[in-house]
Each structure stands twice: as C-alpha cells, then as structure tokens.
Amino acid sequence: MRAAPRAASAWRSDATAAVVRARPVPPSSPTLKRARVQPLRRRAQFEAVLASPPMVQTAHFALHGRLWSADDAAWRATFGAPGPWLGVVVPRRWARRAVTRNAIKRQVRAVAALHPPPAGAWVVRLKRAWPTSEFPSATSAPLRRAVRAELLQLLAQRLPQRLTAHRAQEPAC
C-alpha cells in the first residue's frame, strides 16, 4: 500500500527560528529606548501595593504605588530585586470584553516601557468603564488613542509631579 505524501509543515524549523531571533536591532528601534519593567505576578505583590491609597488618579485610571525600600525585610521578600515593578488590574466589571481588557493592558505596558516609573512597585487600576456610546468597538483606534493619552497623563505628567511634591515635603536628615 502506498502512503500519501506528507504535506510541508507550516511551522518554522529550528534553523529558521534561530535566524529570525538573530536579526540585529536597528539603532532607531524604539526597543532600545525602553527600560525593563518587571511584571507583578503573585497575589501577595498585588496586595502589598493595593493596600495603599492611590498616589495619582485620572478619570479612568488609578495608580497605586510604593517606592523601593531596601531596609524593609518584608518588602525584599515580596519583591526581591530593586527596580520598577508594574502590575495592571482591568476588572471585567469595567471592561466587559476580553479584547478590550487585553488592549488596555498592552497600552499600559507600552506607556510604562516608554516612561518607566521609579524603582518601586506600581499597579495601574482601571476604575471606570469607557463609554460604549463613544467607543462601540472593543479595539477601535479612537479608544486606543484615548487610553494612551490618559495613561501618558498618569505616568508621564502626574506621577513625576506627585513624587516631586512628596520629596519636597520629606524632612531632611
């Protein structure tokens, strides 16, 4: 009996995948400008940050945060290495479709990579729904622009202002 010939595989071979990974990054690539922001993954990390009140708020987002504390043993046990740690909370209550939730999370991570927060743990939380009358599509370009503009206001403008005011209020030792 003759067997049917095998079809060519649609998957990349290991050799092709190695070539794709080995491509040099062009010098004008935005990935060179991005800082490494560690993701929050464990429940204890989220709980430690969300226990504090929001540091900065906009119409749809709240930013909870805690600056790095090297002398706090519980802090070191929870987070490990210093640096910016970022978590994103987008509840189903405020973004019903998974497509919308994931799009908002991608926008948060992209803005945080371009404007990294200082060393510490930060959680961006969606606190209000985007009106479906204005943004009927889950991933429309106007929704992406509106989300990105508000996140830029949160991370690039209001957070540095708040931290500057906070540092000015601290007593000098």
Side-chain angles (χ1 to χ4, degrees), residues 43-173:
R43 182 181 187 129
Q45 293 173 329
F46 278 93
E47 287 175 350
V49 178
L50 290 173
S52 64
M55 287 187 82
V56 187
Q57 296 186 37
T58 59
H60 293 93
F61 293 102
L63 178 70
H64 297 261
R66 197 169 158 194
L67 291 171
W68 179 254
S69 175
D71 50 331
D72 188 0
W75 177 263
R76 282 195 318 268
T78 304
F79 293 100
W85 290 78
L86 180 71
V88 184
V89 177
V90 183
R92 188 181 296 163
R93 176 181 183 182
W94 302 126
R96 296 303 274 170
R97 292 181 259 188
V99 176
T100 307
R101 290 193 302 273
N102 291 330
I104 291 172
K105 289 176 189 178
R106 280 193 302 272
Q107 289 288 330
V108 170
R109 291 185 191 108
V111 170
L114 292 174
H115 301 282
W122 307 94
V123 173
V124 177
R125 179 178 54 88
L126 183 67
K127 66 176 188 172
R128 185 172 295 130
W130 292 89
T132 54
S133 58
E134 290 180 40
F135 308 106
S137 174
T139 59
S140 65
L143 177 62
R144 284 195 306 258
R145 282 193 298 269
V147 169
R148 190 172 194 94
E150 198 163 317
L151 287 169
L152 283 170
Q153 183 183 16
L154 185 77
L155 291 172
Q157 294 174 1
R158 292 191 180 182
L159 179 61
Q161 290 173 355
R162 170 80 163 108
L163 292 175
T164 304
H166 180 70
R167 288 183 186 125
Q169 291 175 354
E170 287 181 351
C173 293

